[in-house]
Amino acid sequence: MESNFMFAYNHPKFSDRVLRIEVVGEPPDGEVGIQRDTHHKRQSDTDDVTDQGDDSDLIVRVNSIYVNSAILAKRSPFFDKLFTNGMKESNQQDATVRINKSEEAAFMELLGFMYGGNLPTISPTLLDVLVIADKFAVDSCVRRCAELLGSLPMNMEYALLYLDLPSCVSITPEVQSLTDAAKVFICDQFGDITKLQDESTILPLAAIEVLLSSDRLQVASEDAAYDFVLKWAHARYPVPEERREILGPHLLHHVRFPYMSLEKLREVLDDLDHELVSELVNEALWFKADALHRQRALAAESTHKRFTERDYTHRPLKILEFDRPHPQCIVYLDLRREECATKLFPAGQIDSQSFHFGGHRFVLSASYYSNTNTGRHFRLLLRMQPDGSASFPVITCRSCPRMKPSRDFLERYEERSTLRGRNTEVSRSLLDLQWNSFIADKSKYFIDDTLQMRVALTIR
């Protein structure tokens, strides 16, 4: 337990120095409290806070208190240097520090902590003390402030302040824990962006960046994540030049373009100028088309989160399109054994991301169902929504799973269906498998715990 020396605080009998505190007025555009200015960063030497410089006319007041140099030097390498190397003469009794007006209250709390170990209990004040403690290298105070702040209830105001800490203080494990807790809070509160609707426009930029950079973002597809970003940017920054400045350096690099559909990637090139997105779209196309490029990108995913697949509420698809000898679309859908067991049984459904073919939108839908005569089943449906036009092509559907032991898509398991023109949604069963054999530990349908399915649509 740290010793309590509050009896010596500002007491001439127990002090050997006078600390001269110069309080400087804020610049015209200064902010109160935590700021993004670099002057809040920890001082590497004493010059920045002791040098009189040319701004002495900004000094609004000077406070002098008696201090014990041994007590302060023990708590802080900054004060240790101030009272040794920082003194012009060995017998000099006064030492000077210069602080901003907004830092004054926090600095006095810091001095009190260095003597007695006590801190305020109000969270905004604690946050200011943490920043000033980092500036003057009082690590024990930084740790204690972070511990106290971490024990308090989180809300949006404090979460945004904690997110700003890396721009204000040195990153320590304690400070990082506050920032991490803020990110968790924001994701818990707003992670399901499908429920935000118009409320999303009230979220500040820092919160949007946290959501987009998180693997926990709840979103149907990366297409939907991109639409969310664009909607938010248009609502918050109606001026095109300002919106471009926000999208470029802040938001677009959080969008995971490699997992967007080809259709949406084409839209991106129409929505935004090529200078902003051409490199990202090109990178996404290489990721989709080239296995070696994809392997290298995934190897670098620790530094580039845009290559990491989110846990989308609608499963991603891999799609190949051909126009000869007939218009054809081959779609690959993978489902993990765990999600089949937990999300399908006893009454669940897993939908794929939608895709377009022949002028219509399609969705693959996996589900569990029970029949009194035939028992329990796994079923894969193809759902189609016509576009309402009079012209409707006849589409032939073929589907099959990849199976053991050959690990091939075995054509003898293909099921053929034909979709004809209607004005309402069309559903067609493509696969129907007995549930017990499908989900069994030694199931022939799961390869490395993944069910891989192929569906081919052909217009003849």
Side-chain angles (χ1 to χ4, degrees):
M1 183 176 179
E2 295 285 351
S3 302
N4 190 320
F5 297 105
M6 279 304 294
F7 65 88
Y9 182 73
N10 200 20
H11 197 302
K13 182 178 179 180
F14 300 105
S15 303
D16 62 333
R17 306 286 194 208
V18 174
L19 184 64
R20 189 173 184 271
I21 307 168
E22 296 181 348
V23 181
V24 180
E26 301 291 344
D29 59 347
E31 299 175 359
V32 177
I34 293 183
Q35 303 177 34
R36 288 187 174 272
D37 296 332
T38 56
H39 71 263
H40 279 281
K41 288 287 190 182
R42 176 169 295 193
Q43 304 298 331
S44 58
D45 53 53
T46 60
D47 294 341
D48 291 337
V49 290
T50 59
D51 184 22
Q52 297 295 317
D54 297 326
D55 57 352
S56 57
D57 56 329
L58 296 177
I59 297 175
V60 295
R61 62 178 160 273
V62 176
N63 299 325
S64 295
I65 65 171
Y66 295 103
V67 295
N68 185 294
S69 61
I71 293 174
L72 298 188
K74 180 182 178 182
R75 292 283 197 177
S76 162
F78 169 87
F79 281 102
D80 182 37
K81 188 174 182 180
L82 177 66
F83 292 126
T84 54
N85 301 347
M87 294 300 185
K88 295 178 181 178
E89 298 178 5
S90 59
N91 61 352
Q92 182 176 344
Q93 295 300 305
D94 289 354
T96 301
V97 296
R98 178 174 292 177
I99 59 175
N100 293 324
K101 186 177 180 181
S102 63
E103 299 173 321
E104 184 177 9
F107 183 72
M108 300 310 293
E109 293 284 1
L110 175 65
L111 291 179
F113 173 85
M114 295 172 77
Y115 272 86
N118 297 319
L119 284 171
T121 57
I122 303 174
S123 42
T125 305
L126 273 174
L127 206 55
D128 288 338
V129 175
L130 186 153
V131 174
I132 202 71
D134 178 80
K135 180 176 180 177
F136 288 93
V138 188
D139 292 338
S140 57
C141 187
V142 172
R143 289 193 296 270
R144 184 58 181 152
C145 286
E147 290 171 2
L148 292 174
L149 288 168
S151 67
L152 297 175
M154 182 75 73
N155 60 37
M156 191 61 175
E157 178 185 359
Y158 296 142
L160 294 175
L161 290 173
Y162 298 161
L163 289 178
D164 202 36
L165 280 175
S167 67
C168 306
V169 301
S170 305
I171 301 301
T172 65
E174 295 79 15
V175 171
Q176 187 64 54
S177 68
L178 288 178
T179 303
D180 292 342
K183 293 178 179 179
V184 169
F185 173 82
I186 289 173
C187 289
D188 287 344
Q189 294 292 311
F190 308 105
D192 188 351
I193 63 174
T194 60
K195 296 180 180 179
L196 290 180
Q197 303 297 334
D198 294 335
E199 290 86 347
S200 65
T201 58
I202 68 174
L203 294 178
L205 175 62
I208 297 295
E209 289 186 274
V210 168
L211 291 176
L212 289 177
S213 63
S214 173
D215 294 336
R216 299 173 57 200
L217 182 68
Q218 299 176 51
V219 62
S221 65
E222 200 63 31
D223 292 4
Y226 168 77
D227 289 338
F228 171 79
V229 169
L230 216 58
K231 178 182 177 182
W232 180 88
H234 275 273
R236 291 296 294 262
Y237 300 92
V239 179
E241 292 76 12
E242 294 180 355
R243 184 166 61 249
R244 189 181 188 280
E245 290 300 315
I246 292 298
L247 286 171
H250 292 283
L251 296 182
L252 288 179
H253 68 282
H254 290 306
V255 177
R256 303 182 185 185
F257 287 88
Y259 297 97
M260 291 171 64
S261 67
L262 292 174
E263 178 189 12
K264 182 59 70 172
L265 288 174
R266 295 188 191 102
E267 288 183 21
V268 169
L269 294 175
D270 294 332
D271 290 338
L272 303 170
D273 62 70
H274 283 220
E275 186 180 347
L276 275 180
V277 296
S278 59
E279 183 177 346
L280 293 170
V281 171
N282 188 54
E283 180 182 66
L285 294 174
W286 274 106
F287 184 90
K288 290 177 178 294
D290 184 75
L292 181 58
H293 183 91
R294 182 164 55 253
Q295 183 179 3
R296 290 173 177 172
L298 291 173
E301 65 181 354
S302 60
T303 54
H304 300 292
K305 295 278 283 186
R306 63 182 177 274
F307 298 123
T308 303
E309 183 178 339
R310 305 185 202 269
D311 188 14
Y312 301 108
T313 56
H314 290 189
R315 297 300 298 147
L317 299 170
K318 298 180 180 69
I319 302 173
L320 297 175
E321 294 186 46
F322 306 92
D323 57 4
R324 296 177 184 178
H326 308 285
Q328 187 177 54
C329 176
I330 301 178
V331 181
Y332 297 88
L333 171 65
D334 295 348
L335 296 178
R336 298 185 299 273
R337 181 196 294 271
E338 181 184 4
E339 63 183 337
C340 288
T342 58
K343 294 184 179 180
L344 295 184
F345 182 82
Q349 177 175 299
I350 300 174
D351 289 339
S352 77
Q353 298 173 7
S354 63
F355 63 98
H356 281 83
F357 178 63
H360 302 278
R361 182 179 294 273
F362 294 87
V363 172
L364 293 175
S365 180
S367 62
Y368 164 94
Y369 79 95
S370 179
N371 185 292
T372 55
N373 296 322
T374 60
R376 303 186 298 171
H377 297 257
F378 166 87
R379 179 168 58 187
L380 180 68
L381 292 175
L382 176 69
R383 299 205 313 269
M384 175 185 62
Q385 294 180 332
D387 60 2
S389 65
S391 173
F392 192 101
V394 176
I395 301 178
T396 300
C397 312
R398 297 180 299 155
S399 61
C400 60
R402 190 191 296 271
M403 298 177 64
K404 299 175 183 176
S406 67
R407 298 191 171 211
D408 290 331
F409 291 104
L410 301 182
E411 293 192 2
R412 71 174 182 268
Y413 288 95
E414 288 188 352
E415 297 188 11
R416 297 170 179 262
S417 304
T418 300
L419 302 178
R420 298 183 182 275
R422 297 182 184 180
N423 292 323
T424 58
E425 180 173 294
V426 177
S427 294
R428 183 73 70 232
S429 178
L430 300 181
L431 284 177
D432 198 310
L433 309 172
Q434 288 291 331
W435 178 262
N436 289 343
S437 60
F438 165 74
I439 204 68
D441 290 340
K442 296 183 179 180
S443 170
K444 60 185 176 182
Y445 299 105
F446 288 94
I447 299 174
D448 297 328
D449 281 334
T450 300
L451 171 67
Q452 300 173 315
M453 294 173 287
R454 182 181 70 188
V455 176
L457 307 181
T458 305
I459 298 176
R460 294 184 181 273

